[in-house]
Amino acid sequence: MKFYGLLFLLVSNCFAQSSHLSSSSNKNQWHHNDFVNASSLEKWYRESPKQPNNQIIVATLDTQIDLDHEDLKNNIWVNKKEIPNNGIDDDQNGYIDDVNGWNFLGTKSGNYIVWGNFEFVRIIRKWNPFFEGKQKEDIEDKDLINFKTYRRCIAVLNYEKKNYEYKQKGYDYDTSVYQKAKDTLKYYFPREDYDYNQLSHFYNKIKGDDKRTYEDMLTNKDDDFLALVFNFYQNHAYGITSLEMLLDGKIQTDSILSKNLNIDYNERIYIGDNSDSLEKEYGHNKLNLEIKGIRKFNTHNTEVSSVLAANRTNKLGTKGFSNNIKIMPLTVSASGDEHDKDIAMAIYYAVDNGAKVINMSFGKDFSLHKDWVFEAMQYAEKKNVLLVHGSGNDGRNIDKYHDFPNDIAYDKTPEVVNNFINVGSISKRTDSTMVSSFSNYGKNNVDIFAPGEDIYVAIPDNQYRYDSGTSLAAPMISGTATLIWLYYPDLTVQEVKQIILESGVTINKQVVKPGTENELVPFSELCKSGKILNTYNAMKMAEEISKKKRK
């Protein structure tokens, strides 16, 4: 899984900007305020009439979740047709004791999957018996598409192995010099109260004519004074401020190499299902498992769900879109890539159990069974359910680079559904840097942008922090759609999608294209609508359309 929240895994943490806080009632939630980049949600609440009594379920296809978080515990969906913990499928939906949702990554032994293969590894494993060692001229025409995908996956695997092997060497080096560097700096900073800016200033002051790069120091395993200072300075630039964080990054990198990128490792053995067949009867109902010796995996969904449904009236932490939203957690994500089977089965589960909106804040570059996901998406459209997806954090054009799940197959065929919204991330900046530098974009395959940078979110154990990513932009759209349906339940999914896209704020200016330093492009070239979400406008437009339908 390419988690679309930037702080989720240390090994990809290039934007470390969060601080863990125990509580906050006055934090700046800019994304709900009333200005061009924000949703103007609070403006709607200031003007809105009495609150509706109905509730709407939003399914979050994501990681596990902190069900007991103070800001979420009252807004978790409860399956009232199921008697808790009696070992019986009371509602006969194929899932035993699914009181709050389902963990599609639950193992036969009652544990959960932390490390799973990347999708390109699964594709290589599937096609190795047919294509290994062969050239294009050896392949029949009917198999050429699969052969080209296989070869592309081989290239990606080789690149990623090299990348993580380099990271592994870096963690080995950094941990080996950490204590010596810390002791050295204590002479100059007796209270050890230095931050990135101080270390940067100190390093540049002592650097002189030394031209060595980090790679030079790593290769030679340098531990001289300048190398030690540079090492600490570089780690602080990436938010790594302790030996524990380095060791954790090393563990994660080792696991990615030995599991995520290992063709001989297959996590489905522990789940016990047939991953090439759509079937129920796998996984379990435990959505917030904590097992000694196994890494916890409940942060990402806690963050995403807090954007949607954090309690608005308890004066704690952050605020969601409505207290009438009930979160249905469906666990499909681990470190690695989601299985298309789990994505499809979770969509079917969500639709059949009453969800109106399905939020998917994850993505991957390949899709082994995208037809299964397309069929599930079409099922959701028939049942009037909206699908919302974060466009990704690679700073690239997903009209050219594949990103799944999506409503296209990247084979020049039309979109398969009209109930899917792909979301990019906007910041609170209003100048040319307003688009988040990490956000994916696409004139055809990104529909709209929404706030996704420096968002105050809940994290496990009743804590909060700022985080960034299209993971957090997606639930801004999901929350808006839910609010529309709370007040105007007569609208169709196509109407809700149209309202969200057409009511946004049009940006008529040049902006820095994500993934570049200063290349300017018209904002309209970055997404289909050329707009930023505005919840207030969406609610006003929904009111007008709903009135017309009732005449």
PDB file of all heavy atoms in Angstrom, residues 118-144:
ATOM      1  N   PHE A 118       4.098  -6.325  -2.528  1.00  0.00           N
ATOM      2  CA  PHE A 118       3.662  -5.326  -3.481  1.00  0.00           C
ATOM      3  C   PHE A 118       2.990  -6.047  -4.649  1.00  0.00           C
ATOM      4  O   PHE A 118       3.298  -7.208  -4.937  1.00  0.00           O
ATOM      5  CB  PHE A 118       4.838  -4.482  -3.972  1.00  0.00           C
ATOM      6  CG  PHE A 118       5.425  -3.589  -2.914  1.00  0.00           C
ATOM      7  CD1 PHE A 118       6.754  -3.715  -2.537  1.00  0.00           C
ATOM      8  CD2 PHE A 118       4.653  -2.637  -2.284  1.00  0.00           C
ATOM      9  CE1 PHE A 118       7.311  -2.890  -1.564  1.00  0.00           C
ATOM     10  CE2 PHE A 118       5.186  -1.805  -1.304  1.00  0.00           C
ATOM     11  CZ  PHE A 118       6.519  -1.939  -0.946  1.00  0.00           C
ATOM     12  N   GLU A 119       2.107  -5.362  -5.340  1.00  0.00           N
ATOM     13  CA  GLU A 119       1.346  -6.009  -6.414  1.00  0.00           C
ATOM     14  C   GLU A 119       2.259  -6.495  -7.535  1.00  0.00           C
ATOM     15  O   GLU A 119       2.013  -7.547  -8.133  1.00  0.00           O
ATOM     16  CB  GLU A 119       0.292  -5.048  -6.966  1.00  0.00           C
ATOM     17  CG  GLU A 119      -0.727  -5.698  -7.869  1.00  0.00           C
ATOM     18  CD  GLU A 119      -1.841  -6.416  -7.118  1.00  0.00           C
ATOM     19  OE1 GLU A 119      -1.606  -6.875  -5.979  1.00  0.00           O
ATOM     20  OE2 GLU A 119      -2.943  -6.532  -7.679  1.00  0.00           O
ATOM     21  N   PHE A 120       3.317  -5.760  -7.837  1.00  0.00           N
ATOM     22  CA  PHE A 120       4.204  -6.206  -8.913  1.00  0.00           C
ATOM     23  C   PHE A 120       4.899  -7.509  -8.551  1.00  0.00           C
ATOM     24  O   PHE A 120       5.244  -8.309  -9.436  1.00  0.00           O
ATOM     25  CB  PHE A 120       5.213  -5.113  -9.297  1.00  0.00           C
ATOM     26  CG  PHE A 120       6.042  -4.558  -8.183  1.00  0.00           C
ATOM     27  CD1 PHE A 120       7.190  -5.207  -7.760  1.00  0.00           C
ATOM     28  CD2 PHE A 120       5.692  -3.362  -7.574  1.00  0.00           C
ATOM     29  CE1 PHE A 120       7.970  -4.679  -6.739  1.00  0.00           C
ATOM     30  CE2 PHE A 120       6.469  -2.824  -6.556  1.00  0.00           C
ATOM     31  CZ  PHE A 120       7.612  -3.485  -6.126  1.00  0.00           C
ATOM     32  N   VAL A 121       5.111  -7.770  -7.267  1.00  0.00           N
ATOM     33  CA  VAL A 121       5.690  -9.045  -6.835  1.00  0.00           C
ATOM     34  C   VAL A 121       4.692 -10.176  -7.078  1.00  0.00           C
ATOM     35  O   VAL A 121       5.062 -11.264  -7.553  1.00  0.00           O
ATOM     36  CB  VAL A 121       6.097  -8.984  -5.350  1.00  0.00           C
ATOM     37  CG1 VAL A 121       6.544 -10.348  -4.849  1.00  0.00           C
ATOM     38  CG2 VAL A 121       7.201  -7.958  -5.146  1.00  0.00           C
ATOM     39  N   ARG A 122       3.426  -9.928  -6.777  1.00  0.00           N
ATOM     40  CA  ARG A 122       2.392 -10.950  -7.027  1.00  0.00           C
ATOM     41  C   ARG A 122       2.264 -11.268  -8.511  1.00  0.00           C
ATOM     42  O   ARG A 122       2.063 -12.427  -8.901  1.00  0.00           O
ATOM     43  CB  ARG A 122       1.046 -10.464  -6.484  1.00  0.00           C
ATOM     44  CG  ARG A 122       1.028 -10.230  -4.986  1.00  0.00           C
ATOM     45  CD  ARG A 122      -0.304  -9.660  -4.524  1.00  0.00           C
ATOM     46  NE  ARG A 122      -0.217  -9.203  -3.147  1.00  0.00           N
ATOM     47  CZ  ARG A 122      -0.676  -8.051  -2.690  1.00  0.00           C
ATOM     48  NH1 ARG A 122      -1.287  -7.214  -3.522  1.00  0.00           N
ATOM     49  NH2 ARG A 122      -0.546  -7.715  -1.429  1.00  0.00           N
ATOM     50  N   ILE A 123       2.367 -10.223  -9.340  1.00  0.00           N
ATOM     51  CA  ILE A 123       2.263 -10.431 -10.787  1.00  0.00           C
ATOM     52  C   ILE A 123       3.427 -11.269 -11.286  1.00  0.00           C
ATOM     53  O   ILE A 123       3.247 -12.194 -12.100  1.00  0.00           O
ATOM     54  CB  ILE A 123       2.204  -9.067 -11.517  1.00  0.00           C
ATOM     55  CG1 ILE A 123       0.864  -8.385 -11.218  1.00  0.00           C
ATOM     56  CG2 ILE A 123       2.387  -9.243 -13.025  1.00  0.00           C
ATOM     57  CD1 ILE A 123       0.763  -6.957 -11.710  1.00  0.00           C
ATOM     58  N   ILE A 124       4.636 -10.997 -10.790  1.00  0.00           N
ATOM     59  CA  ILE A 124       5.801 -11.795 -11.179  1.00  0.00           C
ATOM     60  C   ILE A 124       5.607 -13.245 -10.755  1.00  0.00           C
ATOM     61  O   ILE A 124       5.874 -14.182 -11.530  1.00  0.00           O
ATOM     62  CB  ILE A 124       7.084 -11.216 -10.556  1.00  0.00           C
ATOM     63  CG1 ILE A 124       7.385  -9.840 -11.151  1.00  0.00           C
ATOM     64  CG2 ILE A 124       8.270 -12.158 -10.779  1.00  0.00           C
ATOM     65  CD1 ILE A 124       8.468  -9.073 -10.419  1.00  0.00           C
ATOM     66  N   ARG A 125       5.143 -13.446  -9.514  1.00  0.00           N
ATOM     67  CA  ARG A 125       4.939 -14.816  -9.022  1.00  0.00           C
ATOM     68  C   ARG A 125       3.904 -15.555  -9.868  1.00  0.00           C
ATOM     69  O   ARG A 125       4.068 -16.752 -10.162  1.00  0.00           O
ATOM     70  CB  ARG A 125       4.512 -14.772  -7.556  1.00  0.00           C
ATOM     71  CG  ARG A 125       4.393 -16.153  -6.922  1.00  0.00           C
ATOM     72  CD  ARG A 125       4.317 -16.078  -5.406  1.00  0.00           C
ATOM     73  NE  ARG A 125       3.238 -15.236  -4.969  1.00  0.00           N
ATOM     74  CZ  ARG A 125       3.372 -14.248  -4.070  1.00  0.00           C
ATOM     75  NH1 ARG A 125       4.568 -13.993  -3.556  1.00  0.00           N
ATOM     76  NH2 ARG A 125       2.347 -13.529  -3.709  1.00  0.00           N
ATOM     77  N   LYS A 126       2.859 -14.842 -10.283  1.00  0.00           N
ATOM     78  CA  LYS A 126       1.799 -15.478 -11.088  1.00  0.00           C
ATOM     79  C   LYS A 126       2.321 -15.900 -12.471  1.00  0.00           C
ATOM     80  O   LYS A 126       2.012 -17.001 -12.951  1.00  0.00           O
ATOM     81  CB  LYS A 126       0.627 -14.508 -11.259  1.00  0.00           C
ATOM     82  CG  LYS A 126      -0.492 -15.031 -12.156  1.00  0.00           C
ATOM     83  CD  LYS A 126      -1.616 -14.009 -12.281  1.00  0.00           C
ATOM     84  CE  LYS A 126      -2.685 -14.460 -13.266  1.00  0.00           C
ATOM     85  NZ  LYS A 126      -3.405 -15.660 -12.811  1.00  0.00           N
ATOM     86  N   TRP A 127       3.126 -15.030 -13.099  1.00  0.00           N
ATOM     87  CA  TRP A 127       3.506 -15.271 -14.490  1.00  0.00           C
ATOM     88  C   TRP A 127       4.887 -15.893 -14.654  1.00  0.00           C
ATOM     89  O   TRP A 127       5.268 -16.269 -15.781  1.00  0.00           O
ATOM     90  CB  TRP A 127       3.434 -13.968 -15.277  1.00  0.00           C
ATOM     91  CG  TRP A 127       2.027 -13.458 -15.440  1.00  0.00           C
ATOM     92  CD1 TRP A 127       1.492 -12.334 -14.896  1.00  0.00           C
ATOM     93  CD2 TRP A 127       0.983 -14.068 -16.186  1.00  0.00           C
ATOM     94  NE1 TRP A 127       0.174 -12.191 -15.247  1.00  0.00           N
ATOM     95  CE2 TRP A 127      -0.166 -13.248 -16.052  1.00  0.00           C
ATOM     96  CE3 TRP A 127       0.897 -15.226 -16.964  1.00  0.00           C
ATOM     97  CZ2 TRP A 127      -1.380 -13.566 -16.658  1.00  0.00           C
ATOM     98  CZ3 TRP A 127      -0.311 -15.538 -17.571  1.00  0.00           C
ATOM     99  CH2 TRP A 127      -1.431 -14.711 -17.420  1.00  0.00           C
ATOM    100  N   ASN A 128       5.636 -16.054 -13.578  1.00  0.00           N
ATOM    101  CA  ASN A 128       6.957 -16.678 -13.690  1.00  0.00           C
ATOM    102  C   ASN A 128       6.931 -18.042 -14.383  1.00  0.00           C
ATOM    103  O   ASN A 128       7.780 -18.325 -15.242  1.00  0.00           O
ATOM    104  CB  ASN A 128       7.603 -16.824 -12.308  1.00  0.00           C
ATOM    105  CG  ASN A 128       8.738 -15.834 -12.090  1.00  0.00           C
ATOM    106  OD1 ASN A 128       9.219 -15.205 -13.017  1.00  0.00           O
ATOM    107  ND2 ASN A 128       9.173 -15.699 -10.849  1.00  0.00           N
ATOM    108  N   PRO A 129       5.990 -18.926 -14.041  1.00  0.00           N
ATOM    109  CA  PRO A 129       5.976 -20.246 -14.694  1.00  0.00           C
ATOM    110  C   PRO A 129       5.788 -20.177 -16.212  1.00  0.00           C
ATOM    111  O   PRO A 129       6.164 -21.116 -16.921  1.00  0.00           O
ATOM    112  CB  PRO A 129       4.792 -20.952 -14.024  1.00  0.00           C
ATOM    113  CG  PRO A 129       4.609 -20.246 -12.721  1.00  0.00           C
ATOM    114  CD  PRO A 129       4.958 -18.830 -12.988  1.00  0.00           C
ATOM    115  N   PHE A 130       5.229 -19.078 -16.706  1.00  0.00           N
ATOM    116  CA  PHE A 130       4.934 -18.964 -18.133  1.00  0.00           C
ATOM    117  C   PHE A 130       5.959 -18.124 -18.890  1.00  0.00           C
ATOM    118  O   PHE A 130       6.238 -18.389 -20.064  1.00  0.00           O
ATOM    119  CB  PHE A 130       3.549 -18.342 -18.330  1.00  0.00           C
ATOM    120  CG  PHE A 130       2.447 -19.076 -17.629  1.00  0.00           C
ATOM    121  CD1 PHE A 130       2.024 -18.683 -16.355  1.00  0.00           C
ATOM    122  CD2 PHE A 130       1.848 -20.185 -18.199  1.00  0.00           C
ATOM    123  CE1 PHE A 130       1.019 -19.351 -15.693  1.00  0.00           C
ATOM    124  CE2 PHE A 130       0.832 -20.867 -17.552  1.00  0.00           C
ATOM    125  CZ  PHE A 130       0.417 -20.455 -16.290  1.00  0.00           C
ATOM    126  N   PHE A 131       6.523 -17.103 -18.229  1.00  0.00           N
ATOM    127  CA  PHE A 131       7.325 -16.107 -18.942  1.00  0.00           C
ATOM    128  C   PHE A 131       8.794 -16.054 -18.548  1.00  0.00           C
ATOM    129  O   PHE A 131       9.591 -15.433 -19.252  1.00  0.00           O
ATOM    130  CB  PHE A 131       6.726 -14.709 -18.717  1.00  0.00           C
ATOM    131  CG  PHE A 131       5.325 -14.531 -19.246  1.00  0.00           C
ATOM    132  CD1 PHE A 131       4.424 -13.701 -18.580  1.00  0.00           C
ATOM    133  CD2 PHE A 131       4.910 -15.179 -20.400  1.00  0.00           C
ATOM    134  CE1 PHE A 131       3.140 -13.519 -19.064  1.00  0.00           C
ATOM    135  CE2 PHE A 131       3.621 -15.004 -20.891  1.00  0.00           C
ATOM    136  CZ  PHE A 131       2.747 -14.172 -20.221  1.00  0.00           C
ATOM    137  N   GLU A 132       9.183 -16.697 -17.459  1.00  0.00           N
ATOM    138  CA  GLU A 132      10.555 -16.549 -16.978  1.00  0.00           C
ATOM    139  C   GLU A 132      11.557 -17.009 -18.033  1.00  0.00           C
ATOM    140  O   GLU A 132      11.435 -18.103 -18.592  1.00  0.00           O
ATOM    141  CB  GLU A 132      10.765 -17.335 -15.680  1.00  0.00           C
ATOM    142  CG  GLU A 132      12.118 -17.079 -15.027  1.00  0.00           C
ATOM    143  CD  GLU A 132      12.256 -17.764 -13.685  1.00  0.00           C
ATOM    144  OE1 GLU A 132      11.484 -18.708 -13.396  1.00  0.00           O
ATOM    145  OE2 GLU A 132      13.135 -17.344 -12.903  1.00  0.00           O
ATOM    146  N   GLY A 133      12.541 -16.158 -18.318  1.00  0.00           N
ATOM    147  CA  GLY A 133      13.597 -16.494 -19.260  1.00  0.00           C
ATOM    148  C   GLY A 133      13.225 -16.355 -20.721  1.00  0.00           C
ATOM    149  O   GLY A 133      14.051 -16.619 -21.596  1.00  0.00           O
ATOM    150  N   LYS A 134      11.995 -15.924 -21.018  1.00  0.00           N
ATOM    151  CA  LYS A 134      11.550 -15.832 -22.406  1.00  0.00           C
ATOM    152  C   LYS A 134      11.681 -14.410 -22.944  1.00  0.00           C
ATOM    153  O   LYS A 134      11.708 -13.440 -22.195  1.00  0.00           O
ATOM    154  CB  LYS A 134      10.102 -16.309 -22.532  1.00  0.00           C
ATOM    155  CG  LYS A 134       9.928 -17.791 -22.251  1.00  0.00           C
ATOM    156  CD  LYS A 134       8.505 -18.244 -22.506  1.00  0.00           C
ATOM    157  CE  LYS A 134       8.362 -19.754 -22.254  1.00  0.00           C
ATOM    158  NZ  LYS A 134       6.972 -20.224 -22.495  1.00  0.00           N
ATOM    159  N   GLN A 135      11.780 -14.303 -24.260  1.00  0.00           N
ATOM    160  CA  GLN A 135      11.822 -13.035 -24.947  1.00  0.00           C
ATOM    161  C   GLN A 135      10.498 -12.787 -25.665  1.00  0.00           C
ATOM    162  O   GLN A 135       9.682 -13.705 -25.827  1.00  0.00           O
ATOM    163  CB  GLN A 135      12.976 -13.013 -25.954  1.00  0.00           C
ATOM    164  CG  GLN A 135      14.344 -13.241 -25.340  1.00  0.00           C
ATOM    165  CD  GLN A 135      14.694 -12.201 -24.300  1.00  0.00           C
ATOM    166  OE1 GLN A 135      14.466 -11.004 -24.504  1.00  0.00           O
ATOM    167  NE2 GLN A 135      15.246 -12.642 -23.171  1.00  0.00           N
ATOM    168  N   LYS A 136      10.326 -11.565 -26.142  1.00  0.00           N
ATOM    169  CA  LYS A 136       9.066 -11.179 -26.776  1.00  0.00           C
ATOM    170  C   LYS A 136       8.709 -12.102 -27.930  1.00  0.00           C
ATOM    171  O   LYS A 136       7.537 -12.472 -28.115  1.00  0.00           O
ATOM    172  CB  LYS A 136       9.166  -9.729 -27.255  1.00  0.00           C
ATOM    173  CG  LYS A 136       7.893  -9.196 -27.887  1.00  0.00           C
ATOM    174  CD  LYS A 136       8.055  -7.738 -28.302  1.00  0.00           C
ATOM    175  CE  LYS A 136       6.792  -7.233 -28.984  1.00  0.00           C
ATOM    176  NZ  LYS A 136       6.933  -5.813 -29.423  1.00  0.00           N
ATOM    177  N   GLU A 137       9.704 -12.489 -28.715  1.00  0.00           N
ATOM    178  CA  GLU A 137       9.425 -13.338 -29.885  1.00  0.00           C
ATOM    179  C   GLU A 137       8.965 -14.744 -29.505  1.00  0.00           C
ATOM    180  O   GLU A 137       8.439 -15.484 -30.356  1.00  0.00           O
ATOM    181  CB  GLU A 137      10.652 -13.413 -30.791  1.00  0.00           C
ATOM    182  CG  GLU A 137      11.932 -13.838 -30.105  1.00  0.00           C
ATOM    183  CD  GLU A 137      12.748 -12.648 -29.602  1.00  0.00           C
ATOM    184  OE1 GLU A 137      12.165 -11.565 -29.393  1.00  0.00           O
ATOM    185  OE2 GLU A 137      13.970 -12.816 -29.436  1.00  0.00           O
ATOM    186  N   ASP A 138       9.158 -15.119 -28.243  1.00  0.00           N
ATOM    187  CA  ASP A 138       8.715 -16.442 -27.781  1.00  0.00           C
ATOM    188  C   ASP A 138       7.250 -16.446 -27.338  1.00  0.00           C
ATOM    189  O   ASP A 138       6.706 -17.519 -27.029  1.00  0.00           O
ATOM    190  CB  ASP A 138       9.573 -16.894 -26.586  1.00  0.00           C
ATOM    191  CG  ASP A 138      11.048 -16.941 -26.907  1.00  0.00           C
ATOM    192  OD1 ASP A 138      11.389 -17.305 -28.045  1.00  0.00           O
ATOM    193  OD2 ASP A 138      11.857 -16.603 -26.022  1.00  0.00           O
ATOM    194  N   ILE A 139       6.631 -15.272 -27.288  1.00  0.00           N
ATOM    195  CA  ILE A 139       5.307 -15.143 -26.681  1.00  0.00           C
ATOM    196  C   ILE A 139       4.223 -15.058 -27.753  1.00  0.00           C
ATOM    197  O   ILE A 139       4.371 -14.342 -28.755  1.00  0.00           O
ATOM    198  CB  ILE A 139       5.253 -13.879 -25.791  1.00  0.00           C
ATOM    199  CG1 ILE A 139       6.399 -13.886 -24.780  1.00  0.00           C
ATOM    200  CG2 ILE A 139       3.904 -13.779 -25.091  1.00  0.00           C
ATOM    201  CD1 ILE A 139       6.431 -15.073 -23.860  1.00  0.00           C
ATOM    202  N   GLU A 140       3.143 -15.789 -27.554  1.00  0.00           N
ATOM    203  CA  GLU A 140       2.003 -15.711 -28.470  1.00  0.00           C
ATOM    204  C   GLU A 140       1.333 -14.351 -28.346  1.00  0.00           C
ATOM    205  O   GLU A 140       1.364 -13.712 -27.294  1.00  0.00           O
ATOM    206  CB  GLU A 140       0.998 -16.820 -28.147  1.00  0.00           C
ATOM    207  CG  GLU A 140       1.533 -18.230 -28.373  1.00  0.00           C
ATOM    208  CD  GLU A 140       0.470 -19.279 -28.087  1.00  0.00           C
ATOM    209  OE1 GLU A 140      -0.721 -18.992 -28.309  1.00  0.00           O
ATOM    210  OE2 GLU A 140       0.827 -20.381 -27.626  1.00  0.00           O
ATOM    211  N   ASP A 141       0.696 -13.923 -29.427  1.00  0.00           N
ATOM    212  CA  ASP A 141       0.062 -12.598 -29.463  1.00  0.00           C
ATOM    213  C   ASP A 141      -0.943 -12.416 -28.334  1.00  0.00           C
ATOM    214  O   ASP A 141      -1.029 -11.335 -27.736  1.00  0.00           O
ATOM    215  CB  ASP A 141      -0.628 -12.381 -30.815  1.00  0.00           C
ATOM    216  CG  ASP A 141       0.373 -12.189 -31.945  1.00  0.00           C
ATOM    217  OD1 ASP A 141       1.561 -11.967 -31.645  1.00  0.00           O
ATOM    218  OD2 ASP A 141      -0.046 -12.278 -33.117  1.00  0.00           O
ATOM    219  N   LYS A 142      -1.695 -13.454 -27.999  1.00  0.00           N
ATOM    220  CA  LYS A 142      -2.735 -13.345 -26.977  1.00  0.00           C
ATOM    221  C   LYS A 142      -2.148 -13.102 -25.578  1.00  0.00           C
ATOM    222  O   LYS A 142      -2.853 -12.638 -24.675  1.00  0.00           O
ATOM    223  CB  LYS A 142      -3.605 -14.600 -26.962  1.00  0.00           C
ATOM    224  CG  LYS A 142      -2.884 -15.866 -26.548  1.00  0.00           C
ATOM    225  CD  LYS A 142      -3.823 -17.071 -26.593  1.00  0.00           C
ATOM    226  CE  LYS A 142      -3.103 -18.355 -26.216  1.00  0.00           C
ATOM    227  NZ  LYS A 142      -2.657 -18.367 -24.824  1.00  0.00           N
ATOM    228  N   ASP A 143      -0.864 -13.386 -25.408  1.00  0.00           N
ATOM    229  CA  ASP A 143      -0.224 -13.232 -24.096  1.00  0.00           C
ATOM    230  C   ASP A 143       0.696 -12.013 -24.013  1.00  0.00           C
ATOM    231  O   ASP A 143       1.332 -11.781 -22.978  1.00  0.00           O
ATOM    232  CB  ASP A 143       0.597 -14.488 -23.758  1.00  0.00           C
ATOM    233  CG  ASP A 143      -0.271 -15.717 -23.574  1.00  0.00           C
ATOM    234  OD1 ASP A 143      -1.392 -15.557 -23.063  1.00  0.00           O
ATOM    235  OD2 ASP A 143       0.178 -16.820 -23.956  1.00  0.00           O
ATOM    236  N   LEU A 144       0.776 -11.239 -25.093  1.00  0.00           N
ATOM    237  CA  LEU A 144       1.746 -10.149 -25.141  1.00  0.00           C
ATOM    238  C   LEU A 144       1.501  -9.077 -24.079  1.00  0.00           C
ATOM    239  O   LEU A 144       2.441  -8.552 -23.487  1.00  0.00           O
ATOM    240  CB  LEU A 144       1.763  -9.514 -26.534  1.00  0.00           C
ATOM    241  CG  LEU A 144       2.706 -10.163 -27.540  1.00  0.00           C
ATOM    242  CD1 LEU A 144       2.580  -9.504 -28.899  1.00  0.00           C
ATOM    243  CD2 LEU A 144       4.157 -10.098 -27.049  1.00  0.00           C
TER     244      LEU A 144
END
